[in-house]
Amino acid sequence: MAFHVMIIPSMDCPSNCSYCWGVDKESDLMSLETIEEVVKWLKNFRKGPVTFTFHGGEPLLAGYDFYKKSLPLLSQQLSHLKPAFAIQTNLWLMNEELAQLFAEYNIPIGSSLDGPQDINDFQRGKGYYEKTMQGYKIAREKGLRVSFISTFTSHSIKLKEEIFKFFLDNNLDLKLHPALPSLRSENPDKWSISPEEYGELLVYLLDEYLEHIDDIEIKNIDHLCKGVFMRRGVVCTYADCVGDTFAIGPDGNIYPCYRFVGMEEYVMGHVSNNPTMEELSQSPAWKSLHQWMDLVDEECAECKYIKFCRGGCPYNALTLDKKTRKMKIDGVDHQCEAYKIIFSEISNRANKEFLSSSIPLFGGSKPKSKKASIMDLMLKSS
């Protein structure tokens, strides 16, 4: 894993998505002093290139002045780490001033769109689509690259063909998330999809991707195929990320990932204390995640795909204890069966392609297929 630091300027968000699990409307905004403390902490913390991702909540709530001052601080004072930047935003607050600034730092944008307007706004709230696409237009006019995450829910999973066609017809790259049971809702399963549904969705998108490889990029499929080829996970969901990924909350607390921000039991330290890796590793949060990794080694020991996914994401393994109302990890990623479905599909197809690609007898040549192959995806450049 590359070194990745997520900066969370705010856990608030102006949108009100039905299935959202992580918004805190009472969240404070990160101060510039916290960014200065991040710089001091990282100066001698670790060698090697670092990527900073601004995340949330909604990171653009921090405003133009925050980024105008923070980006030079991080890029110049940590130049020995060769910092790169990214941001995840719903784009509602994007304006020409911000877009121009992000273009100067070559910052790719990740945003969220669940499909065409009627599907998206049913899940994310009326007006969401229009506001996001307005921000998208401003970002693109400044030359910024924008890709979208589409969350598939119990509603939209039935409309997967329409959603895929929307992204294809509009020349939009796609990354997808399965809606998981909410850890904070009174009706946690309302929007979630089952592992079997998610697995079937991934197989469907694999087929569509092979038909349209020159017209769209589906990041999940790229990562899954590359993982099978490399025999290891290539993104955080499928790799041991502890110690390589950190998130800084608005108040300067350090967490193992942005998904844990605001959960007191997963605070690892504070940037103002300039903690070393050894000091962070002594935190209960770090030890808890390593206990989960040990659980994965035990529960998944006989699974032939363990190297591909390492038990999935520890956050996805969280369960709400109905008696204590506290979070606990009592197994592997709840989407385990989905991963098995797609890893099996990719592996079986790759094996069939390999066996059928032998040189024909008598010097004949094998006719080329117009359809892309699994190997094309495995060898596709990032």
Side-chain angles (χ1 to χ4, degrees):
M1 286 285 294
F3 186 33
H4 187 193
V5 177
M6 300 177 174
I7 297 177
I8 318 299
S10 174
M11 285 302 293
D12 190 9
C13 182
S15 62
N16 189 28
C17 302
S18 299
Y19 49 77
C20 183
W21 47 264
V23 168
D24 176 8
K25 293 294 184 181
E26 305 299 320
S27 174
D28 292 329
L29 288 175
M30 181 178 285
S31 67
L32 188 63
E33 287 72 25
T34 297
I35 294 295
E36 292 171 345
E37 289 172 344
V38 170
V39 169
K40 292 177 183 177
W41 170 49
L42 293 178
K43 270 191 175 179
N44 299 302
F45 178 74
R46 175 171 166 168
K47 297 179 181 179
V50 61
T51 295
F52 291 102
T53 299
F54 295 96
H55 214 298
E58 173 47 59
L60 293 188
L61 284 170
Y64 175 79
D65 287 344
F66 174 83
Y67 290 100
K68 180 67 174 176
K69 296 174 181 176
S70 295
L71 290 169
L73 271 174
L74 294 165
S75 62
Q76 295 171 16
Q77 297 197 31
L78 297 177
S79 59
H80 61 294
L81 300 180
K82 300 178 181 177
F85 300 98
I87 190 168
Q88 182 69 33
T89 166
N90 64 20
L91 290 170
W92 289 17
L93 301 175
M94 180 60 69
N95 55 43
E96 291 190 8
E97 196 176 32
L98 273 168
Q100 179 60 45
L101 178 63
F102 292 165
E104 292 171 10
Y105 286 86
N106 193 29
I107 299 179
I109 295 174
S111 192
S112 298
L113 207 61
D114 291 351
Q117 186 169 1
D118 56 337
I119 296 173
N120 181 86
D121 285 8
F122 178 81
Q123 299 187 164
R124 289 185 172 269
K126 186 176 181 180
Y128 186 109
Y129 180 93
E130 185 177 345
K131 293 175 183 177
T132 293
M133 293 309 289
Q134 183 177 353
Y136 171 74
K137 181 181 178 182
I138 294 171
R140 292 296 297 130
E141 286 174 348
K142 295 296 182 180
L144 292 167
R145 180 179 179 183
V146 182
S147 57
F148 288 98
I149 293 173
S150 178
T151 299
F152 280 81
T153 68
S154 55
H155 170 72
S156 62
I157 192 76
K158 306 178 184 71
L159 305 167
K160 61 180 182 293
E161 295 87 357
E162 184 178 347
I163 293 170
F164 176 76
K165 187 175 186 301
F166 167 81
F167 280 94
L168 181 67
D169 291 348
N170 288 278
N171 298 311
L172 300 175
D173 293 339
L174 171 63
K175 183 179 180 182
L176 58 140
H177 280 172
L180 292 167
S182 172
L183 298 177
R184 304 179 184 183
S185 170
E186 295 298 324
N187 187 8
D189 295 315
K190 179 179 179 180
W191 295 95
S192 65
I193 62 176
S194 70
E196 291 73 21
E197 288 175 313
Y198 184 40
E200 291 170 4
L201 173 64
L202 289 170
V203 173
Y204 164 76
L205 290 173
L206 173 63
D207 285 330
E208 292 295 336
Y209 199 8
L210 292 172
E211 292 285 352
H212 303 282
I213 191 172
D214 294 326
D215 305 311
I216 193 171
E217 181 176 80
I218 306 178
K219 297 180 183 296
N220 305 66
I221 304 301
D222 284 340
H223 296 153
L224 290 162
C225 289
K226 186 73 72 176
V228 173
F229 180 71
M230 299 287 290
R231 313 295 292 179
R232 62 173 176 81
V234 296
V235 290
C236 62
T237 301
Y238 311 115
D240 289 333
C241 58
V242 182
D244 292 308
T245 298
F246 297 99
I248 314 301
D251 58 359
N253 278 332
I254 302 170
Y255 299 85
C257 175
Y258 81 98
R259 303 181 88 179
F260 293 97
V261 172
M263 300 170 66
E264 291 184 9
E265 60 269 41
Y266 285 97
V267 174
M268 307 171 81
H270 194 279
V271 290
S272 64
N273 296 322
N274 294 325
T276 64
M277 188 76 82
E278 183 179 356
E279 288 170 336
L280 292 176
S281 70
Q282 298 304 309
S283 67
W286 182 296
K287 292 178 180 178
S288 173
L289 291 178
H290 272 274
Q291 288 171 0
W292 178 77
M293 291 162 64
D294 292 339
L295 182 151
V296 168
D297 287 334
E298 182 178 343
E299 287 201 10
C300 305
E302 302 302 319
C303 179
K304 58 184 175 182
Y305 304 120
I306 183 173
K307 291 183 179 180
F308 299 171
C309 78
R310 292 297 307 149
C313 173
Y315 180 87
N316 291 350
L318 282 172
T319 301
L320 179 64
D321 189 311
K322 294 181 179 180
K323 292 183 179 179
T324 65
R325 303 303 296 175
K326 292 186 177 181
M327 311 300 180
K328 63 177 181 179
I329 298 179
D330 56 3
V332 299
D333 188 323
H334 296 163
Q335 292 293 349
C336 172
E337 290 303 317
Y339 304 150
K340 289 180 180 178
I341 289 170
I342 190 61
F343 285 137
S344 174
E345 191 73 20
I346 293 170
S347 299
N348 290 340
R349 292 192 192 192
N351 289 335
K352 288 180 181 178
E353 287 178 9
F354 178 77
L355 292 173
S356 64
S357 65
S358 56
I359 300 174
L361 296 175
F362 310 115
S365 60
K366 181 179 179 291
K368 290 186 177 180
S369 170
K370 293 183 179 179
K371 184 176 179 179
S373 68
I374 294 293
M375 190 57 69
D376 290 328
L377 294 177
M378 288 179 168
L379 299 178
K380 183 172 174 283
S381 59
S382 301

